[in-house]
């Protein structure tokens, strides 16, 4: 078991070093002390170059036995479900893990809008606001992130996200939440009329990206 852990750790570290600089920057840029969001890593890059970078990332990851998520276009939203904040308004580790998974999916689908959903304010800030700030600090463009700040339950996450997707002209979703929450979330989104084309949890997302950022 110790050998397997060491092997996997070294393999993931090797992949991180081998991935293109654009991938590393897109997965986790900066930290909570950053004064302003970093520019979108792929902003101004042609579709041809973007496709090449995504292909290279998948190729390198495939060699190392790490699965990257599929790529989706502008008709598919990446929907990240919130998780209760601490009393001071900061994130719990569970929510940080969901956002790391979302960041990887957002890089792999650079044309997809990202919806963060969650109300339940603590210390004057909602789950969605904290999530949006976290993603912007790490390089996602502000106009790509859409914060749904009213939901107080999974049913409302689904209902209000569906409403936002309709306003954006987006008709399908990649759903991101924790593994033990996914079944209920999936049922709620399907009940709300949202076709879910893929799901991702931190358990299956390539969290080898995590060392390049911070948990908060």
């Amino acid at each position: 078991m110790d050998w397997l852990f060491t092997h996997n750790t070294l393999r993931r570290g090797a992949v991180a070093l081998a991935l293109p600089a654009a991938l590393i920057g897109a997965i986790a840029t900066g930290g909570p002390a950053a004064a302003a969001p970093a520019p979108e890593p792929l902003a101004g890059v042609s579709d041809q170059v973007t496709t090449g970078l995504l292909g290279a990332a998948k190729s390198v990851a495939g060699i190392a036995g790490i699965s990257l998520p599929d790529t989706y276009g502008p008709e598919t939203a990446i929907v990240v479900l919130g998780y209760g904040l601490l009393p001071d308004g900061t994130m719990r580790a569970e929510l940080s893990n969901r956002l790391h998974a979302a960041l990887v999916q957002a890089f792999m689908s650079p044309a997809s809008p990202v919806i963060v959903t969650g109300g339940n304010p603590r210390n004057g800030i909602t789950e969605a606001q904290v999530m949006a700030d976290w993603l912007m600090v790490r390089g996602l463009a502000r106009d790509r992130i859409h914060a749904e700040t009213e939901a107080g339950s999974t049913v409302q996450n689904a209902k209000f996200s569906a409403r936002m997707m309709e306003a954006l002209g987006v008709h399908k979703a990649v759903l991101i939440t924790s593994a033990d929450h996914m079944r209920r979330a999936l049922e709620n989104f399907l009940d709300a009329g949202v076709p879910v084309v893929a799901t991702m949890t931190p358990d299956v997302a390539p969290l080898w990206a995590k060392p390049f950022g911070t948990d908060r």
Side-chain angles (χ1 to χ4, degrees):
M1 182 63 69
D2 290 342
W3 176 87
L4 180 61
F5 175 80
T6 302
H7 173 74
N8 287 338
T9 300
L10 290 174
R11 184 182 66 182
R12 292 171 180 174
V15 172
L17 291 174
L19 286 175
L23 174 57
I24 295 174
I27 289 173
T29 302
E40 181 105 18
L42 298 181
V45 179
S46 69
D47 291 342
Q48 184 176 4
V49 173
T50 298
T51 301
L53 286 172
L54 296 179
K58 285 192 173 184
S59 177
V60 173
I63 292 172
I66 295 174
S67 297
L68 290 175
D70 289 333
T71 299
Y72 298 92
E75 75 287 347
T76 302
I78 299 166
V79 183
V80 195
L81 274 63
Y83 190 85
L85 302 175
L86 294 167
D88 64 357
T90 57
M91 291 194 304
R92 300 177 191 271
E94 185 83 12
L95 184 53
S96 173
N97 288 341
R98 294 182 189 185
L99 288 170
H100 276 97
L103 198 58
V104 173
Q105 180 65 75
F107 172 79
M108 299 308 297
S109 302
S112 293
V114 178
I115 295 174
V116 290
T117 169
N120 301 313
R122 295 290 184 271
N123 196 28
I125 188 168
T126 64
E127 296 165 14
Q129 289 172 306
V130 171
M131 295 161 74
D133 288 345
W134 190 98
L135 291 170
M136 283 189 289
V137 164
R138 285 158 180 81
L140 256 62
R142 181 182 298 273
D143 60 3
R144 190 179 169 192
I145 304 169
H146 305 273
E148 185 291 297
T149 61
E150 300 176 7
S153 66
T154 308
V155 170
Q156 291 183 344
N157 286 142
K159 179 180 177 181
F160 298 160
S161 294
R163 183 174 64 191
M164 181 171 284
M165 288 173 61
E166 183 177 2
L168 292 170
V170 178
H171 308 293
K172 297 178 288 185
V174 175
L175 190 60
I176 299 179
T177 187
S178 305
D180 59 0
H181 184 233
M182 183 59 77
R183 181 175 179 178
R184 177 158 57 98
L186 182 58
E187 290 175 352
N188 290 160
F189 272 77
L190 294 176
D191 288 344
V194 176
V196 177
V197 298
T199 61
M200 181 189 287
T201 72
D203 307 78
V204 298
L207 286 184
W208 45 266
K210 203 167 180 178
F212 292 100
T214 55
D215 288 346
R216 296 292 184 268

